[in-house]
Amino acid sequence: MILIWAIAALMGCWSFSLFMRWLSETLANKRTHLQARRSARAQWLGFVLVFVCLGVALFAGWMGLYIEKQYSWGKSGWITPAGVIGGSVSLFALLLIIWATIGDRPRGRIRCPKCWYDMSAAVGLRCPECGHEVKDQAGFSKSRRPRWAYFVAALLLVAGTFGMSVSRDVAEYGPLGVVPTWVLMAGWEVLPDDWIGADWDTSIDGCLRERLSDDRISRSRMRRFGNRLCAPLIDDLDARTDPKRIILLRVLNYDITSVLDTSTDTYAWADPPVDIEALLRLTMVDAIDALTAENPTPAQSATIDAYADVSFIAADWLFRRESESGQLGEDAVFFSPEFYALTTEIIGVMPPELHTEQFGRNLIHRSYARQNLAWSVSTLTGVYDTHFDSYFNTESNPEQTKLWNRVRNLMRIYPDLPYEEQVPILKRLIDYAKSESASQRAFALYAAEWLGSLNIFYTRSGTQSYRGTYAYSENQETSSAFEQLKLVILDEAVGDHRVANPDKVRNQRTIHHLALSALNAISPGDTRIYTLFRNSLLAGNDTPTTNVDSLDDELIQDAIENWIEQFGDLRDHESASVRKWFEDNLPSSVDDDDLLP
């Protein structure tokens, strides 16, 4: 590949050189008093060679890129098209300088040193063509050195050096690596969105957002850039809703507020160039106006799209500042009642629209931006507990999000609630699990699976993050309510083969399927739960996966033993669907010897 790219670069340079010489000779031949150096045939041959060399260069370059794409396994150093071509162009530039320095020697010819007119038949020391006069006869015997060659060589050296300097970036980021990072940082406002990375789905490799996430840019440089981004946030609504600015601030969130303490070699808190309290209040007021508007204006729609990130940035800065100053205590965490009390105090009295049903509908809106922003506002203003009915709304509505997302948003709040607020939620889930409504029962099962996953995480971590998190596993009343929920699932939901999510076109699941998934999350690896899985599988019912490989070391060994005991004899089952389920769920650490009776 290196040879092919070098051939492509040198042939391209040769094509350019031939074109310049062909153009020079063509112009010279139009001057009747200049000596003809080439025949007409040679002139046409040179013109053809220009395109032949250009074609070879393009073909070799295409072949090099194709081979590199098809067979290269990794990205290494300067061995990229940009690096090899840059090095070849630089080498050609050096050769061009040598050629220009040697020049066209006189070899006995007598020529004017200015216009290179043939002076062999001329009399005197003045050129009859251009009027230039030399001091003596030796002045007609100078070598001809094309000055344009030095200019072209300088341009080629700059281009070649640039190619080699960006080679590493091209290897890592792709074609956009040709654009230096400082150019992206200087022109982020006018450059295309995909170059900046404003949209996670459409951004390309090597965008500015991706580069800021690497360790190749110094923290001081990122802090200076972040300070520029922060400057207009208070005074300019357009700046607060600019998606490119906001996504870059998310990436630079920590760097903006951190400076290196050389005495301890650690990063300490540094105030950002913006009033955090004022920014938090502004974002809350703007967000509430946008979320409660009957017909949002374009500016309010932009607010909805961007403000979930802006409010998070302001809240995160506030939390870190108060934590490092000791105001929230040593074990303070972001999602805690203590921090929410602080944000509520800073934000002040909020409008009554926060408590309306219209605001609550945003929490389950089909737009993720609306959901996220409404969730941030409800938690930071302390009104989340007034909108539980919105989360528990199981009606199917095209304007609202799916059941699973409603459960997810509720579970983002649940771990932070005090014990006395968790119990009513668990009791409501018990009522939903007993309900004859398929959507309500599915909601309860989704929530039980989520809570079971939280409990697994709590058990595996062996640590307690703060009061209230995973409280059902450490408080008697919540633990009792959760155990009751598990029993209701066993009695009511297992064996219910109604479709749980009829609004889905694909991957429709039954209540029975969700019940087994929830029980498996609550009691992972339990032989009694695996017995239910086995009975469901052999009865031909929709049976979920056991996910044994995802368990922690503390749980996985017992789970594998129970799994082999319950399912080990199904490897050669007569049913193809049973055999496929067995293959899909077989723990990766189990081999054939483990399955022998």
Side-chain angles (χ1 to χ4, degrees):
M1 290 189 296
I2 296 176
L3 179 61
I4 292 176
W5 287 329
I7 291 174
L10 292 175
M11 292 300 289
C13 292
W14 193 13
S15 173
F16 176 75
S17 175
L18 285 173
F19 174 74
M20 295 299 297
R21 295 188 66 178
W22 174 84
L23 183 63
S24 175
E25 294 293 338
T26 300
L27 294 176
N29 284 338
K30 292 182 179 299
R31 301 172 67 178
T32 57
H33 296 288
L34 291 180
Q35 180 182 5
R37 300 287 306 278
R38 302 285 186 271
S39 64
R41 181 180 179 183
Q43 286 291 103
W44 281 108
L45 182 60
F47 184 72
V48 171
L49 281 176
V50 169
F51 290 95
V52 170
C53 293
L54 181 61
V56 172
L58 293 175
F59 178 75
W62 176 82
M63 282 295 297
L65 290 173
Y66 175 80
I67 294 173
E68 192 271 342
K69 183 178 180 180
Q70 290 292 115
Y71 302 105
S72 179
W73 288 0
K75 304 172 182 179
S76 57
W78 66 275
I79 306 179
T80 64
V84 176
I85 293 175
S88 302
V89 169
S90 299
L91 176 61
F92 182 83
L94 294 176
L95 295 176
L96 186 61
I97 292 174
I98 294 173
W99 172 78
T101 302
I102 295 175
D104 181 13
R105 296 179 180 181
R107 296 185 179 87
R109 292 173 294 179
I110 301 175
R111 302 173 299 182
C112 171
K114 184 175 182 180
C115 67
W116 306 107
Y117 177 75
D118 184 4
M119 298 289 293
S120 58
V123 179
L125 300 177
R126 183 183 298 274
C127 175
E129 176 70 16
C130 65
H132 178 71
E133 184 176 0
V134 297
K135 295 181 179 180
D136 51 33
Q137 195 66 23
F140 292 132
S141 300
K142 292 185 177 181
S143 296
R144 181 180 181 181
R145 295 183 176 88
R147 296 180 180 178
W148 62 264
Y150 292 102
F151 176 73
V152 172
L155 293 179
L156 291 178
L157 272 177
V158 171
T161 304
F162 175 76
M164 289 187 290
S165 67
V166 301
S167 180
R168 182 183 173 188
D169 290 336
V170 172
E172 184 171 355
Y173 300 131
L176 190 59
V178 174
V179 182
T181 301
W182 68 266
V183 173
L184 296 178
M185 295 174 74
W188 69 270
E189 293 182 272
V190 296
L191 292 174
D193 288 357
D194 54 353
W195 286 28
I196 306 302
D199 190 328
W200 293 89
D201 297 326
T202 60
S203 58
I204 57 180
D205 291 339
C207 63
L208 179 57
R209 186 197 72 240
E210 183 179 335
R211 299 191 194 189
L212 293 175
S213 302
D214 294 341
D215 295 330
R216 294 170 55 186
I217 304 176
S218 67
R219 286 186 176 272
S220 59
R221 184 181 175 192
M222 289 196 289
R223 178 173 166 78
R224 290 195 300 271
F225 180 54
N227 289 344
R228 283 172 44 204
L229 296 174
C230 289
L233 286 179
I234 297 294
D235 301 323
D236 189 354
L237 175 62
D238 291 336
R240 295 196 298 273
T241 57
D242 182 0
K244 290 196 286 189
R245 185 187 301 271
I246 300 308
I247 197 66
L248 294 177
L249 283 174
R250 280 296 302 268
V251 177
L252 296 171
N253 179 14
Y254 183 80
D255 299 283
I256 293 172
T257 55
S258 301
V259 293
L260 181 63
D261 185 350
T262 55
S263 61
T264 61
D265 200 26
T266 59
Y267 286 92
W269 167 262
D271 289 323
V274 64
D275 186 334
I276 300 176
E277 286 84 352
L279 180 61
L280 186 60
R281 283 191 291 268
L282 273 174
T283 57
M284 290 298 103
V285 172
D286 292 343
I288 293 169
D289 290 342
L291 290 171
T292 56
E294 289 288 346
N295 298 302
T297 64
Q300 289 175 327
S301 297
T303 297
I304 293 172
D305 291 335
Y307 262 36
D309 285 335
V310 178
S311 61
F312 170 81
I313 291 170
D316 184 58
W317 286 345
L318 178 66
F319 169 76
R320 290 177 50 213
R321 187 190 69 184
E322 297 302 312
S323 297
E324 297 203 20
S325 65
Q327 298 298 317
L328 290 176
E330 293 184 13
D331 299 327
V333 292
F334 189 87
F335 297 107
S336 64
E338 292 80 8
F339 180 60
Y340 292 151
L342 175 62
T343 58
T344 303
E345 179 183 353
I346 291 174
I347 294 169
V349 179
M350 286 289 103
E353 288 84 0
L354 273 177
H355 301 275
T356 63
E357 183 180 350
Q358 181 181 356
F359 177 83
R361 284 197 294 268
N362 288 290
L363 293 167
I364 58 172
H365 198 275
R366 65 178 179 178
S367 166
Y368 179 75
R370 275 186 175 270
Q371 287 182 49
N372 211 18
L373 180 57
W375 184 87
S376 296
V377 171
S378 67
T379 52
L380 292 175
T381 57
V383 300
Y384 56 85
D385 55 341
T386 64
H387 294 291
F388 285 148
D389 287 343
S390 298
Y391 293 119
F392 277 97
N393 179 3
T394 60
E395 295 179 1
S396 179
N397 188 320
E399 293 298 319
Q400 297 174 351
T401 187
K402 305 299 187 222
L403 280 183
W404 172 253
N405 289 326
R406 302 180 202 185
V407 172
R408 176 182 62 87
N409 289 335
L410 176 62
M411 290 299 105
R412 292 169 70 185
I413 300 173
Y414 175 88
D416 306 315
L417 298 175
Y419 299 145
E420 58 272 15
E421 293 185 23
Q422 290 180 341
V423 174
I425 292 179
L426 290 173
K427 290 182 176 180
R428 194 164 183 177
L429 292 177
I430 292 171
D431 293 338
Y432 270 33
K434 293 178 179 179
S435 172
E436 292 300 321
S437 168
S439 58
Q440 289 187 354
R441 187 168 286 181
F443 184 95
L445 295 173
Y446 282 136
E449 182 178 359
W450 195 291
L451 290 172
S453 300
L454 291 179
N455 189 40
I456 292 171
F457 180 81
Y458 174 79
T459 303
R460 288 183 295 179
S461 66
T463 59
Q464 176 185 345
S465 50
Y466 59 88
R467 181 180 63 81
T469 301
Y470 321 126
Y472 60 85
S473 62
E474 52 192 59
N475 176 268
Q476 181 62 38
E477 192 173 3
T478 52
S479 180
S480 175
F482 189 69
E483 186 64 26
Q484 186 180 356
L485 174 61
K486 176 181 175 181
L487 294 176
V488 171
I489 293 173
L490 283 168
D491 294 338
E492 304 288 344
V494 175
D496 184 348
H497 298 288
R498 289 178 296 170
V499 175
N501 44 0
D503 53 342
K504 274 193 173 184
V505 178
R506 293 180 293 181
N507 296 326
Q508 290 187 341
R509 298 302 185 191
T510 64
I511 299 291
H512 174 79
H513 178 103
L514 298 183
L516 293 181
S517 294
L519 292 170
N520 189 49
I522 295 170
S523 303
D526 192 320
T527 185
R528 294 169 296 178
I529 304 302
Y530 283 170
T531 300
L532 296 176
F533 270 71
R534 180 184 176 91
N535 294 338
S536 173
L537 183 63
L538 296 180
N541 296 323
D542 183 20
T543 306
T545 59
T546 51
N547 295 322
V548 175
D549 286 334
S550 64
L551 299 179
D552 197 89
D553 293 341
E554 298 178 10
L555 301 173
I556 193 170
Q557 192 57 44
D558 291 339
I560 290 177
E561 292 177 2
N562 293 336
W563 196 96
I564 294 174
E565 179 184 348
Q566 289 293 334
F567 308 112
D569 62 332
L570 300 181
R571 178 178 57 178
D572 301 320
H573 196 273
E574 59 184 11
S575 171
S577 61
V578 172
R579 293 196 304 271
K580 185 178 185 308
W581 185 94
F582 176 89
E583 294 173 359
D584 292 341
N585 287 268
L586 180 67
S588 59
S589 60
V590 176
D591 55 30
D592 291 342
D593 293 337
D594 296 325
L595 300 175
L596 294 176

